[in-house]
Amino acid sequence: MIRSMTAFARRDMKKTWGTATWELRSVNQRYLETDISLPEPFRRLEPTIRDRIRTFLTRGKVSCNLCVNVNRQSVLILNEKLTKKLIKAAQWVKMQSNEGEIDPLAILGWPGVIAATEQDIDTDTMSAELLSCLDATLYDLIRTRETEGIALKTIIEQRLAGISAEVTKVRQQMPDILAWQKNKLLGKLEEAQVRLDNHRQEQELVILAQRVDVAEELERLEAHIQETYHILTNQNAVGRRLDFMMQEFYRESNTLASKSINVSVTASAIELKVLIEQMREQIQNIE
């Protein structure tokens, strides 16, 4: 399956302890590079997250961001010893004055009677749930990459069809080109009043034919086309392999252009380079 390296995925999760959001972005990169941003309580998860990303992806610059909002609940702690002392003191004051009532709220409002503290969060449970959500987000990212990959594959196949058409065009023209070049050589010899014996003339024509013969280059281009089609059906990451094939395409198209003695062949060689460059641009974004 062809995968693009450009993709985005986001997942929100809601639990009893609060909410969290994973965001993953990836762009093309020669190798796999990860940039991970985590809240302080979850920094220890970074090596695990990095390993999981490597399990799912092989190439691309990946930015991973986690945002967590915890529902912290406050717990009231009563200082019983101080409360008892305050009640006892209030009762003594009431007995001495023989009037007034003891106000519980006033006692509770006394400094130090009640202290508020926040419950500790269970980071282990949260971490397990966060990592599970990360896996789901990575699957979303891969699906986006695969969707983009289908479009890239279509573009590459269109360019391969164009290259195949140019190869066929040049192959069909070669007999006429060789005949034209033979007549041109014989015409120049006749014009210069140079007479060669049949054996020498045959040698010159053979040398000329070898110099302009592009059959080998056309065969290699056809072989590269078939190999590229085969690579596109591979289920593994194929970006580097396709990039190598583009180098081979360039080599044959350059040789074809250097051997060209005809405007039509030159035009085909230029068109080949255009098609190959268009493929190369798309392949730079394939995992």
Side-chain angles (χ1 to χ4, degrees):
M1 176 67 72
I2 299 297
R3 294 177 182 173
S4 168
M5 283 189 282
T6 302
F8 172 79
R10 173 191 172 105
R11 278 240 174 184
D12 298 318
M13 61 183 299
K14 187 175 182 180
K15 297 293 183 178
T16 55
W17 45 260
T19 60
T21 300
W22 284 103
E23 283 190 356
L24 295 173
R25 290 182 175 84
S26 69
V27 295
N28 59 328
Q29 177 83 344
R30 188 174 181 183
Y31 303 105
L32 179 62
E33 179 182 337
T34 55
D35 181 17
I36 301 172
S37 177
L38 302 172
E40 190 61 38
F42 302 99
R43 292 279 187 186
R44 59 188 178 84
L45 295 179
E46 184 169 339
T48 303
I49 293 171
R50 201 177 301 277
D51 289 340
R52 293 203 178 193
I53 292 175
R54 289 197 186 102
T55 301
F56 283 84
L57 308 174
T58 59
R59 293 181 72 195
K61 184 176 182 179
V62 182
S63 297
C64 175
N65 182 67
L66 172 63
C67 180
V68 179
N69 293 311
V70 179
N71 298 328
R72 295 183 180 273
Q73 296 181 350
S74 296
V75 178
L76 299 179
I77 300 176
L78 179 65
N79 188 332
E80 295 182 5
K81 290 183 178 181
L82 178 58
T83 303
K84 289 177 180 178
K85 290 180 179 179
L86 290 173
I87 293 174
K88 187 175 181 180
Q91 289 173 341
W92 183 85
V93 172
K94 180 181 177 183
M95 290 176 58
Q96 296 298 320
S97 62
N98 199 25
E99 61 181 26
E101 298 291 337
I102 299 176
D103 185 357
L105 292 179
I107 293 176
L108 291 175
W110 191 270
V113 172
I114 292 181
T117 185
E118 292 183 340
Q119 286 182 327
D120 294 332
I121 59 175
D122 186 357
T123 56
D124 291 337
T125 300
M126 290 178 62
S127 297
E129 294 174 339
L130 288 170
L131 290 174
S132 177
C133 185
L134 172 63
D135 289 344
T137 312
L138 283 167
Y139 279 117
D140 291 343
L141 187 75
I142 289 174
R143 280 193 289 270
T144 303
R145 280 185 162 206
E146 289 175 347
T147 301
E148 290 287 332
I150 292 172
L152 292 176
K153 181 181 178 182
T154 300
I155 294 173
I156 293 171
E157 288 176 339
Q158 290 172 349
R159 303 305 183 269
L160 288 174
I163 292 174
S164 182
E166 293 299 327
V167 169
T168 300
K169 185 191 300 184
V170 173
R171 190 185 297 279
Q172 292 173 345
Q173 292 175 343
M174 285 311 299
D176 293 336
I177 293 173
L178 291 174
W180 170 80
Q181 187 65 14
K182 175 182 177 181
N183 293 332
K184 182 179 178 181
L185 176 62
L186 294 176
K188 286 185 176 181
L189 291 175
E190 185 177 348
E191 182 181 344
Q193 297 181 350
V194 175
R195 293 186 178 277
L196 300 176
D197 60 62
N198 291 337
H199 180 68
R200 176 63 185 278
Q201 180 176 303
E202 185 177 334
Q203 285 183 329
E204 292 296 328
L205 292 174
V206 169
I207 293 172
L208 175 64
Q210 291 176 340
R211 187 179 304 162
V212 299
D213 184 25
V214 294
E216 187 175 348
E217 285 72 22
L218 297 178
E219 289 175 0
R220 287 198 187 115
L221 283 170
E222 289 176 335
H224 295 340
I225 291 170
Q226 295 305 315
E227 177 62 18
T228 304
Y229 274 121
H230 176 70
I231 293 172
L232 291 174
T233 63
N234 197 309
Q235 297 300 310
N236 300 318
V238 296
R240 291 191 181 95
R241 178 78 184 205
L242 288 172
D243 192 55
F244 170 77
M245 291 305 302
M246 293 307 102
Q247 298 176 34
E248 297 300 306
F249 272 111
Y250 271 123
R251 182 177 292 110
E252 302 307 328
S253 65
N254 288 333
T255 305
L256 182 65
S258 67
K259 288 186 174 183
S260 175
I261 58 173
N262 178 275
V263 174
S264 179
V265 175
T266 301
S268 291
I270 294 173
E271 181 63 18
L272 284 174
K273 291 184 178 183
V274 171
L275 293 169
I276 294 167
E277 178 61 22
Q278 290 174 348
M279 280 198 301
R280 190 194 68 81
E281 289 176 356
Q282 301 301 326
I283 287 170
Q284 296 302 307
N285 202 31
I286 291 179
E287 182 179 4

